[in-house]
Amino acid sequence: MTLIPHGLRQVARLSLLPVLALGLLAGPALADTYPGKPIRLVVPFPAGGGTDIIARAIGQQLTESRQWTVVVDNKPGAGGNLGVDAVAKAPADGYTVVLGQTSNLAINPALYPKLPYDPVKDLKPVVLAATAPLVIVVPNSSKYKTLADVLAAAKQTPGALVFGTPGNGTVAHLAMEQLQKAAHIRLQHVPYKGSAQALTDLMGGQMDLYVSSIPTAISHLKGGRMKALAVTSDKRSSQLPQVPTVAESGVKGFEANTWFGFMAPAATPAAVLTTLNTAINQALQSPTVRSRLMGEGGEVLGGSQAEFAALLKTDLQRWGRIVHEADARID
């Protein structure tokens, strides 16, 4: 350990006072003038998807209610990692934020052995935006009428039933791994690259069930081409009120949702983070935004930065454990 003479320690403390004072003054001053230019809102997935819809609805509301200029920048790739990494490495001035979700903030740190960012060290939570359940569906011609039917069949013939998901390591995949463990069953997993081909194969009878986001499945459900057996949230979806939860179907305590939340570079001034948190919380209370998000099968959240940080910490541990138990990896 290096010992610093008392006199030098005193000089060092005194020399820091002007710097600290400037830092304390800069926070409120920056908040008073922020934002003074367009805010870049990175969406780490292609345009038209659920994350993009949420981002654009909130961005538009911020423009209308606060006259902010919010530019949505779709930056897909590597399971949502490219967009998050771009924001983690962006200037920490509040003018670049990302709308992340469970996959690239809570699951990918365990799934990818060389993730280029740390969601806790490199980013700061701003506010949670929404949460959405998944839905377990079967083709309309399926003999399975309820999730309980599927569970019973899986117990009789372990490994015989096939389920599809949008990909290995997705929330859908890991939710089903969680379900298999909780229900003491074994299913066969077929990962797809997205949902388009998977839904075609499901309706063609090439798999027994598929795990989907509600927006992706809802047109097929309404058209009578598929049946919904259960949703993965702890309560029924407002979009599918007739569909029971997994817990109601016999797997007590089961819950697996996707959440969406705004993050900023780690060194972003606290005053700016507070301004963003307040503005987005207010935008989430807009009837237009609430209707748009609920129309996509989501539930509006909001709340404090601390609440988001606590959820992220819990879910990093939870999903990390599920990834490890499922031995899921992506190089």
Side-chain angles (χ1 to χ4, degrees), residues 251-293:
V251 186
K252 301 299 182 184
F254 184 91
E255 180 184 4
N257 296 323
T258 295
W259 46 254
F260 306 83
F262 291 89
M263 303 281 280
T268 303
V272 170
L273 294 175
T274 299
T275 299
L276 282 167
N277 175 274
T278 300
I280 296 172
N281 266 307
Q282 291 176 352
L284 289 169
Q285 297 308 310
S286 159
T288 301
V289 172
R290 295 182 71 85
S291 175
R292 189 73 176 97
L293 269 56

Side-chain angles (χ1 to χ4, degrees), residues 43 45-56 74 215-216 260 292 296:
V43 172
F45 294 101
T51 308
D52 182 69
I53 290 169
I54 293 171
R56 291 180 187 277
N74 295 93
T216 300
F260 306 83
R292 189 73 176 97
E296 293 297 319

Side-chain angles (χ1 to χ4, degrees), residues 19 42 51 58 121 150 204 224 243 257 266 269 328-330:
V19 177
V42 175
T51 308
I58 294 172
K121 295 179 180 178
V150 172
V243 179
N257 296 323
R329 288 290 184 273
I330 295 180

Side-chain angles (χ1 to χ4, degrees), residues 164-167 192-203 207 210-213 215-217 220 226:
T165 70
Y192 283 78
K193 293 183 178 179
S195 60
Q197 185 60 48
L199 291 175
T200 298
D201 288 353
L202 176 75
M203 290 181 285
M207 72 178 87
Y210 183 71
V211 189
S212 173
S213 67
T216 300
H220 298 291
M226 299 188 314

Side-chain angles (χ1 to χ4, degrees), residues 120-180:
V120 175
K121 295 179 180 178
D122 299 331
L123 296 160
K124 276 288 179 64
V126 177
V127 64
L128 285 163
T131 184
L134 301 166
V135 59
I136 301 172
V137 297
V138 295
N140 199 44
S141 58
S142 174
K143 63 182 179 180
Y144 303 116
K145 307 303 180 185
T146 66
L147 181 61
D149 293 340
V150 172
L151 300 180
K155 288 180 179 179
Q156 288 183 348
T157 54
L161 273 67
V162 177
F163 75 95
T165 70
N168 188 41
T170 59
V171 176
H173 170 211
L174 296 177
M176 289 301 289
E177 294 291 344
Q178 183 182 354
L179 175 61
Q180 291 178 78

Side-chain angles (χ1 to χ4, degrees), residues 33-40 67-71 91 93-96:
T33 60
Y34 175 86
K37 61 180 181 180
I39 297 171
R40 176 187 173 213
Q67 288 73 55
W68 290 6
T69 301
V70 179
V71 179
D93 54 10
Y95 290 100
T96 306

Side-chain angles (χ1 to χ4, degrees), residues 76 78 159 206 214 217:
Q206 296 181 43
I214 291 178

